[in-house]
Amino acid sequence: MLPQDPMILLSYVNTKLRDEYSSLDELCAALDADREELVCKLEAVGYTYDPEKNRFL
């Protein structure tokens, strides 16, 4: 279960991307998370996924 608070979600996802997963797709598959929903939640607070850096900025 992913955190619901957008700022906690941002920190959680970026940590997982840095430490465990080489891409957002890999993270979503491993955590059974809806990629589109995750991206929308973080875009709503001003963050977008950068595949080159493998993190939300």
Side-chain angles (χ1 to χ4, degrees):
M1 187 86 172
L2 294 174
Q4 295 302 306
D5 179 273
M7 299 313 289
I8 295 172
L9 178 63
L10 172 68
S11 178
Y12 177 82
V13 168
N14 275 344
T15 299
K16 290 288 190 183
L17 289 170
R18 182 190 70 219
D19 296 343
E20 298 177 35
Y21 301 104
S22 62
S23 71
L24 182 58
D25 290 329
E26 185 182 334
L27 176 141
C28 289
L31 300 179
D32 195 30
D34 183 297
R35 186 185 198 281
E36 191 67 29
E37 183 179 335
L38 177 61
V39 168
C40 287
K41 280 184 182 180
L42 294 176
E43 283 181 346
V45 291
Y47 292 87
T48 57
Y49 179 66
D50 181 335
E52 286 185 20
K53 294 183 178 180
N54 192 35
R55 59 187 281 194
F56 282 86
L57 303 170

